[in-house]
Amino acid sequence: MTSDALPQTNHALADLTVRVRDDLDRIAHPRRSWTFRHVAPFGEAMLDVLIVGGGQSGLAAAFGLMRDEVRNILVVDQAPRGMEGPWLSYARMHTLRSPKDFTGPDLDIPSLTYQSWHEAKFGAESWTALHLITKQHWVEYLLWLRDTVGIPVQNDTTVLDIEPCEGGLCVLLQSAGAEPVRRFARKVVLATGQESLGRWSMPGFIEALPAQVRAHTAEGIDFAALRGKRVAVLGAGASAFDNAATALEAGAGEVHLFCRRAEPQLVQPYLWLTFTGFLKHFSELDDVWKWRFMNYILGLREGFPQPTWDRCAKHMNFRLHTGAGWNAARMEGEKILLETAQGPFEADYVICATGIEHNPAQRPELARAAENIARWEDRFTPAPGEQNSRLAAFPYLGNDYTLQERVPGETPWLRNIHLFSIAATMSFGPSGSSINAMKFSVPKLVSGVTGALFRDDVQAYWQDLKDYDIRQAELRWPAGHPMTLEDA
């Protein structure tokens, strides 16, 4: 039996759902709901935490908070249900690249792991035969996890603005076809994935080309329209090969992949760093070591697995150009003329797998504080020979994932925004965006959020303690006890 075998009866999955809820109930200590109710301006109810992003990171963060009895929360996502994250939009691989036994959003609850879901859905033999998890099954699993543990998610909702208010933050939300509404929250967690603190980037000379002849890998691309066309792809990471393969499978006449290096990155550094010491304790290193590790790891970029290469190489009309970065581009009639390090190249369509530009000014929800969000370049000066402008642009986060002020006192409300995305990489190593790190990163984030909620109300807790007068026993003497005779 293979992973695409017909599902088993619904009874096994229903039984697993019951088992998960029973497991969670058995380990629910302490069960007490502990956060105080806060009233927002205009008398509206205030959430304890608003999580922006309902993909795997946002769901894991919400689940972690709920396990710590912070349940006055809401998750919002701009995509429809089932389309959260990249999996069914711009992720153009067939399977996840992580090994199948990596755990993540389950937060170490065995019955909540992908393996448990897969075995209930398809049988134990299917799990044994499985090589890598299909992205469609991963989406199904995440939706099942979300429903099973009861995470409150509001889909089709975009965050337009975040501004300070008394006691927290005012977040302007807009749902599809509706007028914007305000929601108030004491804390906001940004679990908005790859582009969380900026935008997808491409060389300016490519961006200047007509929109109909170029795209970034993160955009929607009409691959069927590329049938018979000559396609050029810039980049040699996994997403570049995924897009090249998708174009080839859609019938492109030729696909040429251009790598700026002498050869593509074949070593995957993320496989090396998947061990407890690094994943759990990287964030505790001093800045010198953080910079040194990340300068090396991010300098290698992310490698690609063998199936990703094979998916392209089996096509006779696929070409790899190494040492061939792009320097300029212009239109010549209906064609694109690229100036590459190996000379001119003519194409019908170009695709850029050129990553992300970290620039908070590109995020409307952060516009009010963008210029005052501290970057690594504001806090750390690397040793000679270790300078890296890409690393310098990453946000410099607090030990609770909070955005920091570049100039203290100008935007103090940034302390209420926790960034849980790939932009946290420089401060925390692999972040919530990485499945392999979730069992360590989510508890750190949750501890940071709950710690802030507690500290912000410490005077109220002090008063609550002094007012606490619930007796757990009464001095009742049984009839005939000597004490009752003495009283008489």
Side-chain angles (χ1 to χ4, degrees):
M1 181 180 292
T2 62
S3 62
D4 56 356
L6 290 175
Q8 301 189 129
T9 65
N10 290 331
H11 296 302
L13 199 55
D15 290 345
L16 179 63
T17 299
V18 171
R19 177 182 153 201
V20 168
R21 292 170 178 167
D22 181 64
D23 286 346
L24 292 174
D25 184 63
R26 290 168 186 259
I27 58 172
H29 168 77
R31 298 173 183 271
R32 176 182 168 187
S33 177
W34 60 274
T35 59
F36 290 117
R37 181 178 182 270
H38 282 243
V39 178
F42 314 110
E44 298 179 46
M46 180 174 276
L47 295 164
D48 285 329
V49 185
L50 175 69
I51 299 173
V52 185
Q56 61 188 26
S57 300
L59 294 181
F63 178 40
L65 287 166
M66 292 167 65
R67 287 192 63 193
D68 275 3
E69 292 302 326
V70 178
R71 296 180 178 272
N72 179 26
I73 65 174
L74 176 66
V75 180
V76 297
D77 195 285
Q78 63 185 0
R81 176 182 166 91
M83 293 299 294
E84 304 88 353
W87 307 113
L88 301 183
S89 55
Y90 65 84
R92 297 185 173 110
M93 67 281 212
H94 292 154
T95 65
L96 274 63
R97 289 188 248 276
S98 303
K100 68 178 184 179
D101 60 347
F102 277 15
T103 57
D106 54 88
L107 302 186
D108 277 352
I109 306 298
S111 56
L112 203 55
T113 60
Y114 176 85
Q115 179 178 352
S116 294
W117 178 86
H118 189 100
E119 290 179 345
K121 185 89 171 176
F122 302 108
E125 291 181 4
S126 174
W127 170 256
T128 302
L130 181 68
H131 176 51
L132 291 170
I133 301 168
T134 70
K135 58 184 185 179
Q136 290 83 2
H137 288 163
W138 185 249
V139 170
E140 288 183 49
Y141 161 70
L142 290 175
L143 290 174
W144 170 78
L145 181 148
R146 160 180 160 176
D147 295 339
T148 296
V149 303
I151 298 171
V153 181
Q154 182 175 309
N155 285 100
D156 301 298
T157 301
T158 301
V159 177
L160 301 178
D161 188 20
I162 301 175
E163 64 177 317
C165 71
E166 184 179 351
L169 299 167
C170 175
V171 184
L172 190 64
L173 303 176
Q174 185 169 36
S175 297
E179 290 295 315
V181 297
R182 296 171 309 182
R183 290 300 302 265
F184 297 91
R186 296 173 64 191
K187 308 293 176 186
V188 167
V189 174
L190 298 178
T192 38
Q194 301 278 334
E195 69 274 35
S196 59
L197 215 68
R199 65 167 190 155
W200 297 101
S201 67
M202 63 175 66
F205 55 83
I206 297 296
E207 198 165 11
L209 296 173
Q212 65 268 24
V213 299
R214 50 86 175 160
H216 193 282
T217 53
E219 297 181 72
I221 299 175
D222 183 2
F223 284 96
L226 302 182
R227 185 172 186 83
K229 304 285 188 179
R230 197 181 202 206
V231 179
V233 180
L234 177 61
S239 65
F241 282 96
D242 289 338
N243 280 263
T246 304
L248 289 162
E249 292 159 1
E254 298 176 23
V255 175
H256 296 254
L257 190 144
F258 290 80
C259 174
R260 287 167 283 193
R261 302 175 185 228
E263 72 171 18
Q265 176 68 43
L266 300 178
V267 174
Q268 172 55 287
Y270 291 98
L271 292 177
W272 174 85
L273 59 77
T274 303
F275 62 95
T276 297
F278 191 93
L279 295 176
K280 190 172 186 177
H281 300 293
F282 173 84
S283 64
E284 301 163 13
L285 296 175
D286 62 34
D287 289 350
V288 172
W289 275 113
K290 286 181 182 178
W291 186 275
R292 187 171 296 163
F293 270 107
M294 282 301 145
N295 197 20
Y296 182 80
I297 290 169
L298 297 181
L300 290 176
R301 303 299 175 100
E302 186 173 2
F304 52 86
Q306 189 65 48
T308 300
W309 167 259
D310 293 342
R311 189 179 164 200
C312 290
K314 69 182 181 181
H315 295 271
M316 296 299 104
N317 53 342
F318 173 69
R319 297 290 185 272
L320 171 65
H321 304 261
T322 56
W326 297 354
N327 302 317
R330 67 179 186 274
M331 297 299 299
E332 286 200 351
E334 298 292 315
K335 301 292 185 181
I336 307 161
L337 184 63
L338 298 167
E339 296 295 339
T340 82
Q342 293 184 352
F345 183 85
E346 191 176 83
D348 298 304
Y349 195 85
V350 295
I351 301 173
C352 291
T354 42
I356 311 150
E357 172 195 356
H358 291 302
N359 181 0
Q362 299 289 340
R363 304 298 304 181
E365 67 272 23
L366 294 172
R368 295 175 184 271
E371 296 304 317
N372 201 42
I373 293 174
R375 302 183 180 205
W376 267 75
E377 64 186 2
D378 299 316
R379 295 288 189 270
F380 179 74
T381 302
E386 293 187 356
Q387 294 88 348
N388 187 316
S389 59
R390 181 181 174 218
L391 270 59
F394 274 82
Y396 190 94
L397 302 180
N399 59 12
D400 54 358
Y401 285 88
T402 47
L403 296 173
Q404 301 294 291
E405 294 181 272
R406 186 172 59 83
V407 179
E410 287 193 358
T411 52
W413 49 277
L414 283 175
R415 72 179 185 85
N416 292 319
I417 301 179
H418 301 254
L419 183 68
F420 193 56
S421 71
I422 199 167
T425 298
M426 276 301 298
S427 298
F428 285 88
S431 66
S433 296
S434 303
I435 297 171
N436 66 336
M438 280 189 183
K439 69 179 290 180
F440 303 110
S441 59
V442 172
K444 271 193 177 122
L445 169 73
V446 170
S447 179
V449 174
T450 56
L453 292 172
F454 178 73
R455 288 190 301 273
D456 289 351
D457 277 350
V458 67
Q459 291 186 348
Y461 287 111
W462 171 241
Q463 187 61 50
D464 196 52
L465 170 61
K466 292 194 294 181
D467 293 342
Y468 185 76
D469 61 357
I470 299 175
R471 301 184 179 189
Q472 64 174 358
E474 294 182 18
L475 301 182
R476 297 180 301 193
W477 301 102
H481 192 280
M483 287 295 294
T484 60
L485 297 176
E486 289 179 10
D487 290 342

